[in-house]
Amino acid sequence: RGSLIAAVTHVCTMEYVAKMLGEDLEMLEEIVANDDNLSYGAIISVHTGRDEALTALTDDGIEELKDMLADARRSSQTWSDFLEDFVGEPEIIARVKQNGPR
């Protein structure tokens, strides 16, 4: 007999995920820019034109991202290390650090 595989029926754009989680959009975009940071299939590219695309996350991807951020915010040091490792853009890091670990 065949096996049942759950199909992705919807995704959320990064802009929507940022609003939903109350996070900095550019920080989240930096994190998911490396598709190794989340499980395979959690990050979806939605092509809107010949050379245009939006990045979106599945529900599992959103949960993974939430867990990743919660783990990173255990202390000021883990948050700082996380930003240095996963974000890389100095302006974004400085802006996000001003808000501190929540």
Side-chain angles (χ1 to χ4, degrees):
R1 297 212 202 250
S3 60
L4 225 40
I5 298 175
V8 174
T9 58
H10 71 274
V11 294
C12 297
T13 65
M14 292 304 301
E15 184 176 353
Y16 183 66
V17 171
K19 287 178 186 175
M20 190 170 47
L21 300 180
E23 297 289 353
D24 184 274
L25 173 61
E26 290 180 309
M27 178 191 70
L28 297 183
E29 289 173 334
E30 285 285 314
I31 294 168
V32 302
N34 180 346
D35 60 3
D36 288 336
N37 290 337
L38 299 178
S39 297
Y40 178 77
I43 304 169
I44 307 290
S45 293
V46 180
H47 295 273
T48 59
R50 184 173 187 94
D51 295 323
E52 299 172 14
L54 296 172
T55 301
L57 296 181
T58 63
D59 288 342
D60 289 342
I62 294 168
E63 285 304 312
E64 283 184 49
L65 187 59
K66 283 171 46 177
D67 291 345
M68 179 188 289
L69 293 169
D71 285 345
R73 285 190 166 108
R74 288 178 293 160
S75 72
S76 293
Q77 185 60 50
T78 58
W79 183 238
S80 182
D81 291 346
F82 174 83
L83 292 173
E84 295 295 328
D85 292 342
F86 287 89
V87 176
E89 285 291 323
E91 299 104 28
I92 297 171
I93 292 172
R95 183 177 64 239
V96 172
K97 278 185 177 181
Q98 285 179 337
N99 297 331
R102 298 182 294 152

